[in-house]
Amino acid sequence: MKKYKKWLAAGLTMVSAVALAACSNSDNSEVKSGYKPSVKMDSFYNNTAKSSSTYNNGTLKVAEYNSSPFAGITTPSLITNNEDNDVYSPGLVNLFKTDDDNRVVKGGLANLNLDKSSKTATITLNKNAKWSNGMPVTAKDVEYAYEVIAAPDTTSQQYSDDWKSINGMEAFHTGKAKSISGITMPKGEKGNVVKIQYNKFAPALKFGGNSFIWDSVEPYEYEKDVPISKLGSSSQVRKNPIFAGPYKLSKQVTGESTSWVPNKYYFGKKAQIKHVTIQVVNENNFYSSLKDKQFDFAVSGGLSTEYPKVKQLSDYTTVGTMGTGFSYIGFNLGHMNAKTQTNIMDKNAKMSNLNLRKAMMYALDIGALRKKFNNGLAWQPNSLISPYYKNYYNAKSPRYTLDIDKANKLLDDAGYKKQGKWRAQPNGKPLTINYGTMTGTPASEAQDNYYLQQWRKIGLNVNYTSGRPMDMNKLYAILQKPKQNEADVFSGAFSTNTEPTPTGLFGVGASFNMGHFATDKNTELLNNMNNSKSWNDSYRAKQFKDWQTYMQNQAAYVPTSMSLSWTPVNKRVKGYDARPTDTEFWSNLSLTKSDPE
């Protein structure tokens, strides 16, 4: 599943850098330029002390560091930000189990059988799979998730072009059919088998978290009386949700905290800790709350600005791995046609000129930001695909680095002439650009102020949308509108799938494509990643790498940070695993002492 995730920046003073160029420096040179991380961490922590039932009868205390309350959406098909995913994660479970290479293997909530010749995927649920209220997980719970995602009036943002590869999915999505013809339940709705018939069979199906098969379930019997259009505001989702994961929700204060106890009906490894609390904490209290031993770890991850102090805490160890998500600067280039559910670029959009977008990126020294203020944990990417995906990442894609002269020339050549202090549009009309960004730490606010400073330096009159950084939920409410003119350029972040196909984020039909970038070339490259030729690994890798370079050159979404996915972990915790392939994360945790050390 794809989610938004807020990324926390740092303060600033700038140094100069070179122009856009392919990555050809040595590793040491790239570290010094802020293009690679310099910190190394263990991805697993296992306190060797023996845990006891007494300690596990206590409470695991987990922090969600964020400046905004979580929205309170509990079901993966409707979740649109990572904060909700974080605070409800003890109850969530993936449909499939994966190995260390992220390939789907047997032993999960369901097993998966792929038949390439017939283009069919067969999902067989574990017969012991149950919801936290004791109801069995059924075939209809698998199928219903697709209905929630694709219904014409759904509030889900998970639909993308890749879903069209399922027979009948697009007809259902556009209201031309009342059911999804390609999804059948051979043993009935209350059985445990689901068959999905594809018109395009993608190699991504072999991996967990792909965008061609949904990796979760939806409790149909519990939700069936609620119209899909109102599901996101229903008590079944907001107030009294049920879960199929290792924990069940015992209490929540919406926007502030969730509390959990073991789900006795969970099919998999039983949860060892009897109580879990997840509390939203302002990022400004990150270090102080850990110093006071208030929390065992941060489900939201660590703040790189605080790393030098945190690593000195003797009762915590830092655990992390290469992250797959990224933060970015995006440009509003059009709108989504609500009827056809496709993104359309508007040639008259304020940010449609490629020279303008490139100039704004050449005005920034992102590498210096990462090097100076992220303490070796984050870096300026050259791609929208993380190096975590070794077979698909393109180390040779170009990146934007500070070149004020080039930025000015691009604007001059495109006809953005100065009329006094500010540049005007090529048609001579005044140009005012609105920048949408989230509230955060003083450091992240300083970064946003730097962006405005640099853009104004090249003659662009750029101001904050609404006059200042805004609450995360308010910003995304703007960006998720089919058409908006409040944010011409915006900062955001994506936490991504464990399978890297990016169609769900940047495809012509993707709701998450909030800048509405849609070109024939983009569609061609995205489709090529999972066409019939892409079963050849070399061909598939080339399509990914060509797409990365294309996107960098188009400057519709420009990555500004990737980082290690890390957190401080209190030394009383046993079994903490940062690797994305740990499918029993919450069940593997135990405690060796009664309180954080």
Side-chain angles (χ1 to χ4, degrees):
M1 66 197 74
K2 290 191 173 73
K3 312 154 288 254
Y4 298 125
K5 183 171 182 179
K6 185 173 179 184
W7 169 82
L8 301 166
L12 43 127
T13 297
M14 292 297 95
V15 297
S16 62
V18 295
L20 180 63
C23 301
S24 58
N25 298 335
S26 67
D27 281 359
N28 186 54
S29 164
E30 291 195 328
V31 167
K32 289 182 178 179
S33 300
Y35 302 160
K36 282 191 174 181
S38 61
V39 172
K40 297 185 183 298
M41 291 183 187
D42 290 331
S43 60
F44 184 83
Y45 177 68
N46 194 31
N47 188 326
T48 56
K50 292 183 178 180
S51 52
S52 73
S53 59
T54 301
Y55 302 143
N56 284 330
N57 282 338
T59 301
L60 176 71
K61 300 173 182 178
V62 182
E64 167 71 16
Y65 291 101
N66 194 40
S67 61
S68 302
F70 61 86
I73 302 294
T74 61
T75 181
S77 61
L78 298 178
I79 288 175
T80 58
N81 67 69
N82 208 52
E83 286 71 23
D84 279 348
N85 188 76
D86 286 345
V87 299
Y88 295 115
S89 58
L92 301 177
V93 61
N94 288 336
L95 192 58
F96 306 115
K97 182 178 180 180
T98 54
D99 62 15
D100 289 343
D101 295 321
N102 196 38
R103 290 179 179 269
V104 175
V105 295
K106 294 186 182 300
L109 185 69
N111 290 332
L112 177 66
N113 182 64
L114 300 176
D115 187 336
K116 186 178 177 183
S117 60
S118 64
K119 298 181 181 178
T120 302
T122 302
I123 300 167
T124 305
L125 287 162
N126 186 308
K127 291 186 178 180
N128 295 320
K130 293 183 178 181
W131 293 99
S132 54
N133 65 351
M135 294 191 324
V137 178
T138 66
K140 184 62 179 180
D141 296 335
V142 175
E143 187 273 344
Y144 189 54
Y146 292 84
E147 292 189 34
V148 172
I149 290 168
D153 58 352
T154 186
T155 58
S156 173
Q157 290 208 293
Q158 299 293 345
Y159 194 84
S160 76
D161 300 320
D162 287 342
W163 294 122
K164 297 177 183 179
S165 62
I166 296 175
N167 286 352
M169 192 74 160
E170 181 67 3
F172 179 77
H173 182 55
T174 55
K176 297 177 181 178
K178 294 184 178 181
S179 63
I180 305 168
S181 61
I183 304 180
T184 57
M185 294 163 275
K187 295 185 178 182
E189 291 187 357
K190 295 185 178 180
N192 70 326
V193 178
V194 175
K195 284 188 176 290
I196 303 179
Q197 183 67 55
Y198 291 86
N199 53 67
K200 181 177 76 171
F201 211 58
L205 285 163
K206 298 182 294 183
F207 303 98
N210 70 75
S211 53
F212 293 84
I213 196 165
W214 189 241
D215 202 9
S216 188
V217 285
E218 193 78 31
Y220 173 72
E221 284 295 326
Y222 191 64
E223 298 175 350
K224 65 181 181 180
D225 293 331
V226 181
I228 288 176
S229 62
K230 298 180 179 179
L231 194 58
S233 58
S234 69
S235 61
Q236 289 90 330
V237 168
R238 293 275 189 167
K239 294 182 179 180
N240 303 297
I242 60 174
F243 295 88
Y247 282 90
K248 69 175 183 178
L249 189 68
S250 61
K251 180 184 177 182
Q252 71 170 322
V253 179
T254 303
E256 297 181 15
S257 65
T258 58
S259 299
W260 304 83
V261 295
N263 173 15
K264 66 180 181 180
Y265 298 110
Y266 181 52
F267 85 99
K269 182 178 180 179
K270 301 303 180 183
Q272 301 175 68
I273 303 172
K274 300 307 180 186
H275 302 277
V276 175
T277 62
I278 303 178
Q279 177 74 46
V280 174
V281 186
N282 192 285
E283 305 102 319
N284 294 320
N285 297 324
F286 181 79
Y287 172 71
S288 62
S289 65
L290 295 171
K291 184 181 178 182
D292 293 341
K293 303 175 185 178
Q294 295 177 22
F295 301 102
D296 289 296
F297 61 84
V299 69
S300 53
L303 273 68
S304 58
T305 53
E306 303 295 290
Y307 176 70
K309 291 188 292 185
V310 168
K311 72 177 181 179
Q312 301 301 320
L313 295 175
S314 60
D315 296 322
Y316 289 82
T317 184
T318 54
V319 184
T321 187
M322 175 70 70
T324 61
F326 54 90
S327 60
Y328 64 88
I329 289 175
F331 296 89
N332 183 18
L333 303 176
H335 67 280
M336 172 169 272
N337 184 311
K339 185 176 181 180
T340 63
Q341 293 293 300
T342 56
N343 287 291
I344 298 173
M345 291 177 67
D346 181 356
K347 65 180 181 180
N348 296 316
K350 191 184 298 183
M351 310 310 296
S352 64
N353 191 293
L354 178 58
N355 276 16
L356 173 60
R357 303 196 299 271
K358 286 186 172 183
M360 292 181 72
M361 298 314 305
Y362 279 122
L364 306 177
D365 196 339
I366 301 296
L369 279 172
R370 302 290 77 80
K371 170 62 180 173
K372 190 171 181 65
F373 302 105
N374 290 107
N375 297 301
L377 293 158
W379 62 96
Q380 180 191 3
N382 67 322
S383 164
L384 295 168
I385 300 289
S386 168
Y388 173 86
Y389 306 103
K390 296 179 181 178
N391 294 333
Y392 303 115
Y393 167 66
N394 189 350
K396 296 182 179 179
S397 284
R399 62 167 49 84
Y400 290 89
T401 52
L402 183 65
D403 191 333
I404 293 294
D405 289 341
K406 187 164 189 175
N408 280 317
K409 186 175 188 306
L410 283 166
L411 292 172
D412 290 340
D413 290 348
Y416 292 90
K417 305 300 183 183
K418 278 194 174 181
Q419 293 181 356
K421 183 178 180 180
W422 305 118
R423 292 179 182 270
Q425 299 180 58
N427 62 11
K429 294 182 179 180
L431 174 63
T432 300
I433 298 172
N434 299 311
Y435 171 56
T437 189
M438 306 172 197
T439 55
T441 63
S444 64
E445 184 176 341
Q447 174 176 267
D448 290 325
N449 287 336
Y450 165 74
Y451 287 172
L452 265 60
Q453 166 195 301
Q454 292 298 102
W455 289 331
R456 289 168 178 172
K457 186 180 291 186
I458 58 174
L460 296 176
N461 185 12
V462 186
N463 302 290
Y464 287 119
T465 297
S466 300
R468 62 182 63 85
M470 63 184 71
D471 174 83
M472 173 191 70
N473 298 310
K474 182 178 179 181
L475 176 62
Y476 281 133
I478 292 172
L479 297 178
Q480 290 165 8
K481 293 178 181 178
K483 186 174 185 178
Q484 60 88 17
N485 58 9
E486 297 176 69
D488 304 308
V489 57
F490 53 92
S491 285
F494 286 125
S495 173
T496 58
N497 280 358
T498 47
E499 200 286 320
T501 300
T503 312
L505 295 178
F506 304 111
V508 67
S511 296
F512 285 139
N513 184 355
M514 296 172 293
H516 312 293
F517 177 70
T519 65
D520 290 344
K521 183 65 175 179
N522 182 47
T523 299
E524 176 188 351
L525 289 170
L526 290 173
N527 288 342
N528 286 350
M529 294 173 187
N530 286 288
N531 64 16
S532 59
K533 296 179 182 178
S534 63
W535 289 88
N536 178 295
D537 291 339
S538 297
Y539 172 89
R540 189 171 197 240
K542 184 177 186 302
Q543 306 313 307
F544 270 91
K545 292 178 179 180
D546 288 350
W547 178 81
Q548 291 165 67
T549 299
Y550 173 74
M551 290 297 285
Q552 284 294 94
N553 288 330
Q554 288 297 302
Y557 293 93
V558 181
T560 54
S561 180
M562 287 181 182
S563 67
L564 299 183
S565 178
W566 71 282
T567 181
V569 178
N570 190 271
K571 291 183 179 178
R572 75 162 179 152
V573 176
K574 189 172 185 176
Y576 186 96
D577 193 342
R579 292 168 293 188
T581 51
D582 178 14
T583 53
E584 291 282 17
F585 173 82
W586 290 102
S587 295
N588 286 334
L589 298 174
S590 63
L591 301 173
T592 62
K593 290 192 176 182
S594 58
D595 292 297
E597 297 182 14

